[in-house]
Every structure is written in structure tokens, then in C-alpha cells.
Amino acid sequence: MGDGSFWLPEAGSSLASELDVLFYFVIWVSTIIFVLVVAAMAYFTVKYRRKSPNERPPLLHEHKLLETAWIVIPTILVLIVFTWGFRSYVKLTVAPADAYEVYVEGYKWGWRFIHPDPGFEDPYAELTVPVGRPIKLIMSSDDVLHSFFIPAFRVKHDVLPNRYTSLWFEAEEEGQYQVFCTEYCGTQHSGMLAEVNVVSEEEFAEYLSSRGGDLETLPLVEHGEILYGAQACANCHTVDGSSLVGPSFQGLFGATREFQDGTSAIADEDYLRESIINPHAKAVVGYPAQGMPNTYQGFSERELSALVEFIKAQE
Ligand code: CUA
């Protein structure tokens, strides 16, 4: 782990140093411009102060080069920050396709970390992940708005009830990294802490194989398959590509869905989740407008995650 600096905590992820350089660029450019403007202001205040009550200023014409310069130079600086920031933002937002995925559940007041395969929950307030591998967190909340923040990795995202949000990181060194909730969520908000425990690949493999057991620890895909049967999903949704009352799950994840209101979207985790608990929100073209009955709202977070993982597996 690095030591951090006066301004920022240690940079522990693959993107952290890149974001820090941008941050320092913005800080130093702003500081230099601030100093120049204030110095010029102070200098002119003294130099051009009115020395007697009768003094009148001479008539001045604008200096074309100077005026052009103070329009063009700041514009270029702003465009540099925009381009740089946008490229980093895209990297920060789009998780690599081979990322290791963990479901995160925020609640008043704590975090649960659920590994899809083999399905199990990490011990209280501790997320264990391997070093040097992209980790994607798929997050939702049981109750109110929370926000998941790992300062050392420079990643933060709101965690909302009734939908998934996600963030990703790749830790560069083994160690313990602090997690905060950064959205005021009630009396114990400041105690809503957790730690990311970054371990070596070997240690992580050992950790995975030491877990396992009942339904709660079943791989999410298998848990989802059990629900698919038990909740009668199969009456309307096949997994072989044929259409019944509802669309087949085969090839559904990642496909572009066309809706009856003319819009479309990629079927990602959040779309699947929404379509399970609120099937009318995005009615797919070609299927009855009434969609499926609104009787699928009582799932726990684990059950929803299990169904999402099951649908994802139907390639
Ligand atoms: Cu959860 Cu603040």
C-alpha cells in the first residue's frame, strides 16, 4: 500500500493514479489562474488608484491579442479537462467483461457481500476479493439510499432500493481498505462501515473452497434454477429459445430489447431485476401488454440476484 499524500489517501487501484493526476492538474491550473488573477487585481488596485479628486482615467482601446488569449487559453484548458475526464469516466464506468462479480446489499446499517459462485455471504462487514483482478460490484439497497465509497480505489456510487447500480475496481496490492457509506441514511450512518480484504489469488481460491453448504450458500445460478421451477416461471418463459406467453430466457442477457413505447434498452442486470418486480415498466414488443402478473415482488435480494444469475446463464 502507498502512503497517500497530504491531499489524498493512498492510491490502491489500477485507475486511482490516473484520476489523481487529473485531479492535481485541475487543482494546480486553478491555483495558478487564481494567483495570477488576484496578483493582477492587487497590482492594478495600487497602480491605478485615484490620486486626486480631479483625476480622470484616459480613454483606452481594447488589446486584441490579450482579449483573444484569455478566451482561447481557458477554452483549451477546459477542453483538455473535459476530454481527459470523459475518457477516465468511461473507463471507470464500464467494467471489464471478465470481472469477478459480487452482489452488494446495503441496509440500515451495514453491507452484505454475496458471491454468486459458490454462492455464499462474506462475514460481517468484510468483502474478500483477489488482488490484480477486476472486481465488479452489483449493488442494491434493502431500505433507503446509501452510497458505497472506497477512498483508496477512488470509486463511489449511490446504492438504491429497487434497482442495481454498479462499480468496479482492480486492487493493485494486498491489504485492508476502508469502505464508507457516504449518503446520510439515519442515526447509524457514520457507523455503516466495511473493509475490503484484498488477498492473493491462492488465498482467494482457498477462501472460496472453504465456503459452501445450504441453499443460502448454493451458487446463485443453482439457487435461481430452483426458483425458476418453484415460482412457475417455466409456465411462460422457456430456456430453449421458443416463445410462450412471455419471452424465452435464452440469449436474453445482453440482448437489445424493443419496447412497446418505441424505446429500447440492453438487457443488463438492472433491466432483468426491474422486469421481475415491475414487469409492466418495460413491456417488450410482441408480448401481451398486460405482461406478467404483479405477484413477483416478495423476493429477497438473494433470490432476485439468484434469478438474475440464472437468466444470465441461459446463453
Ligand atoms: Cu448508509 Cu449512510
Side-chain angles (χ1 to χ4, degrees):
M1 276 195 258
D3 287 324
S5 66
F6 177 72
W7 302 101
L8 295 170
E10 51 178 306
S13 74
S14 53
L15 285 177
S17 347
E18 175 181 331
L19 297 173
D20 290 357
V21 174
L22 174 58
F23 175 76
Y24 283 124
F25 178 79
V26 172
I27 284 285
W28 286 116
V29 166
S30 311
T31 306
I32 290 166
I33 291 176
F34 174 78
V35 168
L36 288 178
V37 167
V38 172
M41 205 169 72
Y43 173 70
F44 292 148
T45 307
V46 174
K47 182 167 186 215
Y48 295 112
R49 74 185 188 283
R50 192 160 72 160
K51 294 175 187 92
S52 77
N54 304 325
E55 191 179 331
R56 294 290 178 270
L59 191 58
L60 286 176
H61 291 285
E62 78 276 12
H63 190 298
K64 288 239 165 56
L65 187 64
L66 198 59
E67 296 222 359
T68 310
W70 73 49
I71 291 168
V72 170
I73 293 172
T75 305
I76 291 172
L77 286 174
V78 166
L79 286 176
I80 289 173
V81 171
F82 171 77
T83 315
W84 193 346
F86 185 72
R87 291 168 64 109
S88 298
Y89 174 78
V90 170
K91 278 194 223 165
L92 198 61
T93 310
V94 183
D98 61 345
Y100 179 85
E101 297 179 350
V102 181
Y103 283 85
V104 177
E105 193 183 332
Y107 61 94
K108 291 195 285 188
W109 286 275
W111 303 100
R112 277 186 207 105
F113 303 103
I114 301 157
H115 295 247
D117 181 22
F120 67 90
E121 196 179 315
D122 273 324
Y124 176 72
E126 199 178 289
L127 166 65
T128 300
V129 292
V131 71
R133 212 159 122 192
I135 311 294
K136 179 183 176 189
L137 304 183
I138 305 169
M139 310 184 292
S140 65
S141 164
D142 269 3
D143 35 54
V144 299
L145 193 65
H146 302 280
S147 182
F148 192 86
F149 181 33
I150 315 171
F153 298 164
R154 312 290 190 265
V155 289
K156 172 157 81 170
H157 207 296
D158 278 2
V159 178
L160 297 92
N162 302 324
R163 76 186 65 183
Y164 288 126
T165 54
S166 76
L167 57 76
W168 78 277
F169 59 83
E170 184 178 323
E172 288 185 316
E173 279 176 68
E174 295 168 33
Q176 309 279 124
Y177 300 90
Q178 184 67 52
V179 175
F180 293 104
C181 176
T182 47
E183 190 70 62
Y184 181 69
C185 55
T187 51
Q188 300 299 311
H189 155 73
S190 61
M192 193 169 164
L193 305 170
E195 236 165 33
V196 185
N197 185 23
V198 178
V199 298
S200 68
E201 277 287 350
E202 302 79 64
E203 256 179 278
F204 187 68
E206 230 168 79
Y207 177 67
L208 282 188
S209 64
S210 73
R211 314 287 308 209
D214 55 36
L215 191 64
E216 280 297 302
T217 58
L218 213 58
L220 281 181
V221 176
E222 288 170 33
H223 190 176
E225 189 169 14
I226 292 168
L227 289 170
Y228 174 73
Q231 297 288 335
C233 310
N235 292 351
C236 302
H237 301 278
T238 69
V239 290
D240 63 7
S242 61
S243 269
L244 296 174
V245 181
S248 176
F249 287 162
Q250 192 183 51
L252 176 55
F253 184 73
T256 304
R257 314 294 286 166
E258 312 275 351
F259 307 123
Q260 290 169 15
D261 63 5
T263 59
S264 67
I266 303 278
D268 59 5
E269 287 96 349
D270 191 48
Y271 165 79
L272 296 179
R273 179 199 165 94
E274 180 183 51
S275 296
I276 293 167
I277 52 186
N278 184 10
H280 302 167
K282 295 196 173 73
V284 172
V285 170
Y287 293 95
Q290 70 270 21
M292 67 183 207
N294 266 328
T295 50
Y296 293 92
Q297 297 174 343
F299 290 120
S300 70
E301 278 307 319
R302 182 177 163 94
E303 288 170 331
L304 280 171
S305 308
L307 282 168
V308 167
E309 282 296 305
F310 173 70
I311 295 171
K312 277 168 77 173
Q314 310 308 312
E315 293 166 352

